[in-house]
Amino acid sequence: MKAIHKGIRLAKMNLNIWAVMSVIFTLLILLPALSILIQIFSEPNENWQHIKEFLLNRYIQNTLVIVAFTGIFSVLIGLSLAWLVTAYHFPFRSFFKWGLILPLAIPPYIGAYTYHGILNYTGVIQATLRNEFNVKADPAYFDIMNIPGAIFIFTIFLYPYVYIVARAFLENQSSSIIENARLLGSSSLELFFRVVLPISRTAIVGGGSLVILEVLNDYGVVSYFGIQVFTTAIFQAWFGMSDVASAVKLAGILMTIVFGILLMEKVLRGRKKYSYSNAKVRPLEPARLSSQKSWSLFAYVFLVFCAGFLIPFIQLFDWMLLTFEKVVSADFLMLIFNSVYVSFIAAFFIIVLSLIIGNFTRLSDGAVPKAISRITVLGYSIPGAVIAIGVLTMFLAIDRLMQSFYEDIGLPVPIILSLSIVMLIFAYITRFLAVGYNTIDSGFDKIGRSFTEASRMLGKPLTRTFFSVDLPMIKGAVFGGFTLVFIEVMKELPLTLILQPFNFYTLATKAFQYANDEAVHEAALASILIILISGASIYIFHRVLEKETR
């Protein structure tokens, strides 16, 4: 009896340790957002009065226009592709099932300067028209550096978010619904708009929300195109005006817009729900079409694939061959090292924190674990520029506290944290913890609690059970989460631009710097490396998932 009571006390003590660590890490994640909220109500200065009177409406209008149209077009393209790949047979269908995800390997800012290089006066299209066909077209027809051009870039490189979610939903959908609609005489268009769209509401809202959050996070596309939105305004206030207060206020407004979108998403998800009427659910079997129709579907799918991946990749590869010898140097090798280094370190810490928080939330019931799990995923919803402002102001405040400490003991006053890579790593953790946590959490959901409880009944403490039982069972989720975080950090731009230490560049920031200096060809090699590393990581991740589901 005493042994049982001792075991229970030991188990509670172990769980309390996991709880304390989870709460501490969660509070650290909240600090950047809290630092913005505290300063947002500070006294406005002259710069803010000017922004509010002359510029704020333009920031809001441009942001909402880009977000709305990108969301609509991404949903239409992503859902239509998911439906065609799921419901019909056509040439090379098995390739396009995963090939349509590849545009995610190309960050939108890389796609932006690539398409501008293709379409401008000296680009391949206008040059071919002039030299081969003696056609002198008005360059204005090919101008992409505007709001419609930005919408095209965001749509063609972000639609896979909708495609992935919608395809996963439709592949597991009951085929009886579709078959009954066909028997009732519905045409293909009627079937898509009257049946597929309504039942895919959850997938549409989920995928569309990811697209919108990525658009709000972007700085590279809108900056390169010269479009005034909130992220460019934050950079202008911070670096152009050296006005921290105005940058914080802009970040606060953007954070409010993000929370409004998240609230709207919750409302849209909750108003209507679709569920099966019985337990006998057959996956949808692809229908066979006539040769003409199947090749027409192939043409549409291939066109989107070319626009989202093949064309920009070929152009970047061509530019890389032209500038390879000029760009490759010891400094460039350092860029690769910096990118891999910060991505690896950030991914490692994120996975460790995700395991700690995920293990606590799955073993505990109540309001605290639920709150922790929701706060954990909050960072990915906040744009990188906003997180960067919050992290920077927080670390500057810590440095000021340390300054007083050093002065009191008579030592020189170094500015340690706000000029170090520690700040950048912390910002990555804040922003991308949700990516690692969601993957780890799904792994914990699969194994449940039964194995953990059995091990604890045999006398093993919670921590030893975690390392000997739980961790080996979710190693696929750990590796998958690490890979996804690695990709996200590798591609991240606005957060890195603001917080990178002096003379510290990554492949992403260097590619953007080259493009911003009109050295587009020189940016190709860094861009190709980002795409290849991201593409290889995506492929490895999918292989791991396939192995885990067998």
Side-chain angles (χ1 to χ4, degrees), residues 390-420:
V391 169
L392 190 54
T393 53
M394 183 185 79
F395 273 73
L396 286 171
I398 294 173
D399 264 338
R400 282 194 290 270
L401 292 175
M402 292 179 67
Q403 180 179 357
S404 302
F405 170 75
Y406 280 115
E407 287 175 349
D408 290 340
I409 61 177
L411 291 177
V413 182
I415 303 178
I416 299 174
L417 294 176
S418 54
L419 293 179
S420 70

Side-chain angles (χ1 to χ4, degrees), residues 29-69:
I29 294 166
L30 272 178
L31 283 177
L34 291 175
S35 67
I36 291 177
L37 292 176
I38 291 170
Q39 297 185 61
I40 196 173
F41 299 106
S42 61
E43 191 70 26
N45 56 26
E46 293 181 1
N47 289 334
W48 176 247
Q49 295 293 349
H50 175 79
I51 291 170
K52 185 178 177 181
E53 185 174 354
F54 298 105
L55 300 174
L56 189 58
N57 287 338
R58 188 183 305 168
Y59 297 153
I60 296 173
Q61 181 180 342
N62 290 347
T63 300
L64 294 181
V65 167
I66 293 173
V67 162
F69 282 99

Side-chain angles (χ1 to χ4, degrees), residues 271-472:
R271 288 181 64 187
K272 287 186 180 180
K273 294 183 179 180
Y274 167 78
S275 60
Y276 304 125
S277 58
N278 58 67
K280 297 178 180 179
V281 179
R282 288 186 294 111
L284 185 61
E285 288 291 330
R288 296 195 175 275
L289 302 171
S290 64
S291 178
Q292 182 179 357
K293 287 184 178 180
S294 64
W295 281 104
S296 298
L297 294 187
F298 167 80
Y300 168 62
V301 174
F302 183 66
L303 178 64
V304 176
F305 174 73
C306 286
F309 182 78
L310 195 59
I311 291 174
F313 184 81
I314 291 174
Q315 181 63 85
L316 285 169
F317 191 79
D318 181 56
W319 288 342
M320 182 196 71
L321 295 178
L322 293 174
T323 58
F324 183 82
E325 294 182 358
K326 179 181 178 182
V327 172
V328 174
S329 63
D331 291 338
F332 189 83
L333 295 177
M334 184 56 66
L335 290 179
I336 300 174
F337 173 79
N338 289 345
S339 299
V340 173
Y341 173 70
V342 295
S343 300
F344 184 89
I345 295 296
F348 173 79
F349 280 110
I350 285 172
I351 293 303
V352 170
L353 295 180
S354 299
L355 287 169
I356 293 171
I357 297 172
N359 196 42
F360 167 67
T361 54
R362 81 176 175 115
L363 296 176
S364 305
D365 298 315
V368 173
K370 288 181 180 179
I372 288 175
S373 64
R374 289 175 182 173
I375 293 171
T376 300
V377 301
L378 183 65
Y380 194 69
S381 305
I382 303 174
V386 177
I387 290 177
I389 296 295
V391 169
L392 190 54
T393 53
M394 183 185 79
F395 273 73
L396 286 171
I398 294 173
D399 264 338
R400 282 194 290 270
L401 292 175
M402 292 179 67
Q403 180 179 357
S404 302
F405 170 75
Y406 280 115
E407 287 175 349
D408 290 340
I409 61 177
L411 291 177
V413 182
I415 303 178
I416 299 174
L417 294 176
S418 54
L419 293 179
S420 70
I421 201 170
V422 174
M423 183 171 61
L424 182 61
I425 298 295
F426 180 83
Y428 286 143
I429 293 171
T430 304
R431 170 139 174 77
F432 296 119
L433 181 60
V435 178
Y437 174 79
N438 285 335
T439 310
I440 298 297
D441 191 48
S442 65
F444 278 135
D445 281 343
K446 288 180 181 178
I447 66 171
R449 297 186 184 182
S450 57
F451 296 100
T452 305
E453 291 170 354
S455 175
R456 291 170 67 183
M457 288 179 66
L458 292 172
K460 284 193 176 184
L462 183 64
T463 303
R464 183 182 294 181
T465 296
F466 172 76
F467 284 105
S468 62
V469 178
D470 297 333
L471 191 58

Side-chain angles (χ1 to χ4, degrees), residues 154-381:
F154 286 131
T155 300
I156 208 64
F157 293 108
L158 297 179
Y159 79 82
Y161 283 112
V162 180
Y163 168 77
I164 292 169
V165 177
R167 198 192 84 188
F169 175 79
L170 292 172
E171 282 181 343
N172 297 313
Q173 198 53 260
S174 174
S175 61
S176 60
I177 302 171
I178 309 299
E179 291 169 357
N180 289 337
R182 285 171 176 162
L183 287 172
L184 291 172
S186 296
S187 65
S188 297
L189 285 177
E190 287 177 331
L191 184 63
F192 179 76
F193 285 104
R194 299 182 65 180
V195 178
V196 175
L197 273 176
I199 67 175
S200 304
R201 171 187 285 254
T202 303
I204 291 170
V205 173
S209 300
L210 288 174
V211 170
I212 289 171
L213 292 174
E214 286 295 321
V215 173
L216 290 174
N217 176 62
D218 175 79
Y219 171 73
V221 176
V222 289
S223 174
Y224 186 67
F225 283 4
I227 302 171
Q228 292 185 318
V229 294
F230 275 99
T231 47
T232 55
I234 290 170
F235 273 79
Q236 288 167 2
W238 187 277
F239 294 106
M241 302 178 183
S242 299
D243 187 353
V244 179
S246 296
V248 168
K249 289 182 182 296
L250 288 167
I253 295 174
L254 182 55
M255 197 160 60
T256 304
I257 292 174
V258 169
F259 289 157
I261 290 171
L262 294 175
L263 180 62
M264 188 184 302
E265 179 204 10
K266 187 175 182 180
V267 171
L268 289 173
R269 281 178 182 266
R271 288 181 64 187
K272 287 186 180 180
K273 294 183 179 180
Y274 167 78
S275 60
Y276 304 125
S277 58
N278 58 67
K280 297 178 180 179
V281 179
R282 288 186 294 111
L284 185 61
E285 288 291 330
R288 296 195 175 275
L289 302 171
S290 64
S291 178
Q292 182 179 357
K293 287 184 178 180
S294 64
W295 281 104
S296 298
L297 294 187
F298 167 80
Y300 168 62
V301 174
F302 183 66
L303 178 64
V304 176
F305 174 73
C306 286
F309 182 78
L310 195 59
I311 291 174
F313 184 81
I314 291 174
Q315 181 63 85
L316 285 169
F317 191 79
D318 181 56
W319 288 342
M320 182 196 71
L321 295 178
L322 293 174
T323 58
F324 183 82
E325 294 182 358
K326 179 181 178 182
V327 172
V328 174
S329 63
D331 291 338
F332 189 83
L333 295 177
M334 184 56 66
L335 290 179
I336 300 174
F337 173 79
N338 289 345
S339 299
V340 173
Y341 173 70
V342 295
S343 300
F344 184 89
I345 295 296
F348 173 79
F349 280 110
I350 285 172
I351 293 303
V352 170
L353 295 180
S354 299
L355 287 169
I356 293 171
I357 297 172
N359 196 42
F360 167 67
T361 54
R362 81 176 175 115
L363 296 176
S364 305
D365 298 315
V368 173
K370 288 181 180 179
I372 288 175
S373 64
R374 289 175 182 173
I375 293 171
T376 300
V377 301
L378 183 65
Y380 194 69
S381 305

